[in-house]
């Protein structure tokens, strides 16, 4: 009798989550993340951004993280989170990987020069290598997602390389005692004081 009842039970519905429900789940996860004890504000912002589940990440999720990147402590936390997201082993969590690449792209455009100087000097993970690996991202379940993540990795890697090279050039200029008004303005530490002079 028990077997007959189990046979009559309809199959479970598809596990595919509708986009509005996915967004709702992302919003709820971000709200829960905000109220966790001992969690920094930037970490909550990072989780809200990378767990949003959307492809077109809204500017209001990016802005607080870009602003937080001006703080040395927050930069370290941002880069640790990006390293974790960009190394995500589960291709089903591709939204997280994609959102992290969107953030990297935004940081290349509006992030502080110190972030890229620190990255170029090896203070954080090898961002270019991680993006190069994502150019070969595998998602056999959805070739469209695979192509989108790969294309995003190619574009963001080019932007990151350009910004890291500029940071390296600025560091060389700083090491030589200035090298021009614009380069001197990005110098940090003792060289900035001697180069700026005002």
């Amino acid at each position: 009798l028990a077997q007959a009842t189990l046979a009559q039970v309809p199959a479970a519905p598809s596990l595919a989550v509708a986009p509005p429900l996915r967004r709702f789940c992302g919003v709820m996860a971000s709200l829960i993340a905000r109220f966790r004890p001992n969690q920094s504000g930037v970490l909550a912002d990072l989780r809200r951004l990378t767990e949003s589940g959307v492809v077109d990440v809204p500017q209001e999720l990016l802005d607080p993280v870009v602003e937080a990147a001006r703080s040395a402590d927050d930069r370290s936390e941002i880069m640790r989170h990006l390293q974790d997201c960009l190394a995500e082993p589960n291709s089903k969590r591709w939204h997280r990987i994609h959102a992290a690449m969107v953030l990297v792209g935004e940081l290349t455009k509006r992030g502080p020069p110190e972030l890229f100087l620190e990255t170029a000097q090896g203070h954080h993970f090898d961002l270019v290598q991680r993006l190069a690996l994502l150019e070969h991202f595998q998602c056999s379940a959805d070739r469209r997602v695979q192509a989108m993540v790969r294309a995003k990795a190619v574009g963001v890697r080019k932007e990151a390389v350009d910004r890291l090279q500029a940071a390296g050039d600025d560091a060389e200029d700083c090491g030589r005692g200035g090298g021009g008004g614009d380069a001197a303005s990005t110098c940090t530490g003792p060289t900035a004081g001697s180069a700026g002079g005002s």
Side-chain angles (χ1 to χ4, degrees), residues 51-197:
E51 303 297 332
S52 65
V54 296
V55 174
D56 297 319
V57 179
Q59 197 65 40
E60 58 265 14
L61 293 180
L62 295 165
D63 290 342
V65 178
V66 172
E67 186 59 35
R70 302 195 188 296
S71 158
D73 291 337
D74 288 344
R75 279 195 300 276
S76 294
E77 199 156 351
I78 290 167
M79 293 305 282
R80 276 192 302 274
H81 188 78
L82 284 173
Q83 181 180 19
D84 187 46
C85 291
L86 295 175
E88 175 62 58
N90 186 352
S91 64
K92 291 179 182 177
R93 298 192 70 196
W94 66 268
H95 281 99
R96 184 173 193 246
I97 299 166
H98 187 269
M101 288 192 292
V102 169
L103 175 58
V104 171
E106 192 68 18
L107 287 168
T108 62
K109 294 176 184 78
R110 302 189 302 131
E114 296 86 2
L115 175 65
F116 294 94
L117 182 60
E118 292 166 0
T119 303
Q121 293 174 339
H123 294 282
H124 306 295
F125 71 102
D126 190 339
L127 178 61
V128 173
Q129 180 189 39
R130 180 51 52 193
L131 291 168
L133 290 171
L134 286 170
E135 291 177 8
H136 305 285
F137 176 77
Q138 294 291 318
C139 185
S140 56
D142 192 338
R143 297 292 184 190
R144 180 190 57 86
V145 165
Q146 178 176 297
M148 181 178 59
V149 170
R150 287 179 176 188
K152 187 69 173 175
V154 168
V156 171
R157 186 170 75 89
K158 182 188 178 324
E159 293 170 4
V161 165
D162 292 346
R163 187 76 192 264
L164 288 166
Q165 285 177 340
D169 292 346
D170 289 347
E172 287 178 19
D173 289 344
C174 289
R176 288 194 293 259
D182 291 338
S185 67
T186 61
C187 296
T188 58
T191 310
S194 62

Side-chain angles (χ1 to χ4, degrees), residues 37-61:
N38 301 325
Q39 184 177 6
S40 74
V42 71
L43 187 54
D45 290 336
L46 284 163
R47 287 189 176 148
R48 189 174 62 188
L49 188 155
T50 56
E51 303 297 332
S52 65
V54 296
V55 174
D56 297 319
V57 179
Q59 197 65 40
E60 58 265 14
L61 293 180

